[in-house]
Amino acid sequence: PVPGSVPGWVCACQVVTAAAWDAMATWTGTRAAVQLVDIAGQEMLTALPDGVPVAARATDPCRVELAPMLHLSPDATGTRLAHARTLTAHPALVDACTTGLISAAGARAIVGQTGFLSPAATTAVVTAVVAKVHARRDAGAAGWTASDLRQVAKRAVQALNDDAKEQARANAYADRRALGCTNVVGHVLSVGEDEVRVVTSEVQRPI
């Protein structure tokens, strides 16, 4: 069959068009994330009116207004806000996504490896990975998949100095203590030969 005439026999223009739509989806998602952070702020807002118990405090009250417009529950909107804040905390990553250099899945793969690193260490990892992506593009090489980017980010984490790795371990331990539970897998952060496992579980056990 002539390329492009029947399904399964693609022509170059169809491949380019599909890639363009995918890049547009990433651009749209990134711009939506930026807009959400413009609305809610880069830091989570906690509202605690006078006389209200601490347990009844409200986080990001704007979720109530955003949720129906996004066709999400308030809790799911909170998760969307958290992801948006993580992305927009790194302008270089936002730029790479809006220009189609990194896909949405790729961006999630990169930040997913930063785990409990400090903000400075996280920025260092993200900046290093984005720089490698730019260098690869400039060299005319094929772009990395999300899986590739996850490995590149993991190596960048492993290349951090010992102080940054120790801080990540301390942060993970503090978070686990705050959760009051000890397992199930949520995220694994590789730090040299060690691994810091983030634990979340419906069955919580005191530490």
Side-chain angles (χ1 to χ4, degrees):
V2 176
S5 62
V6 294
W9 294 85
V10 300
C11 67
C13 61
Q14 289 176 314
V15 174
V16 171
T17 300
W21 279 115
D22 188 69
M24 181 62 74
T26 298
W27 179 88
T28 302
T30 303
R31 296 310 305 166
V34 171
Q35 183 62 36
L36 285 176
V37 174
D38 284 345
I39 293 171
Q42 186 62 51
E43 301 297 329
M44 179 185 291
L45 174 64
T46 300
L48 183 60
D50 293 338
V52 176
V54 173
R57 65 184 181 276
T59 58
D60 285 327
C62 66
R63 291 182 300 157
V64 177
E65 285 78 26
L66 286 169
M69 301 306 295
L70 297 176
H71 305 289
L72 297 171
S73 69
D75 285 344
T77 301
T79 299
R80 178 76 67 84
L81 279 172
H83 291 164
R85 284 169 171 145
T86 300
L87 173 63
T88 56
H90 308 289
L93 191 55
V94 171
D95 181 68
C97 288
T98 54
T99 57
L101 191 59
I102 294 178
S103 68
R108 288 193 296 271
I110 294 170
V111 298
Q113 292 303 309
T114 59
F116 288 96
L117 295 176
S118 67
T122 298
T123 297
V125 168
V126 172
T127 300
V129 175
V130 173
K132 289 181 180 295
V133 172
H134 277 283
R136 188 173 177 84
R137 189 273 312 275
D138 294 343
W144 276 318
T145 65
S147 180
D148 294 331
L149 288 169
R150 185 176 295 108
Q151 294 304 314
V152 174
K154 184 177 294 186
R155 289 194 292 272
V157 170
Q158 293 170 345
L160 292 171
N161 61 43
D162 291 340
D163 288 343
K165 295 174 185 177
E166 184 57 38
Q167 183 61 55
R169 295 188 187 96
N171 291 344
Y173 178 77
D175 187 78
R176 187 165 70 241
R177 296 285 296 183
L179 287 173
C181 57
T182 56
N183 64 322
V184 194
V185 173
H187 174 75
V188 176
L189 167 65
S190 295
V191 282
E193 296 180 353
D194 301 322
E195 288 185 341
V196 175
R197 294 186 181 272
V198 179
V199 290
T200 54
S201 173
E202 293 182 0
V203 181
Q204 298 188 353
R205 297 180 296 179
I207 296 176

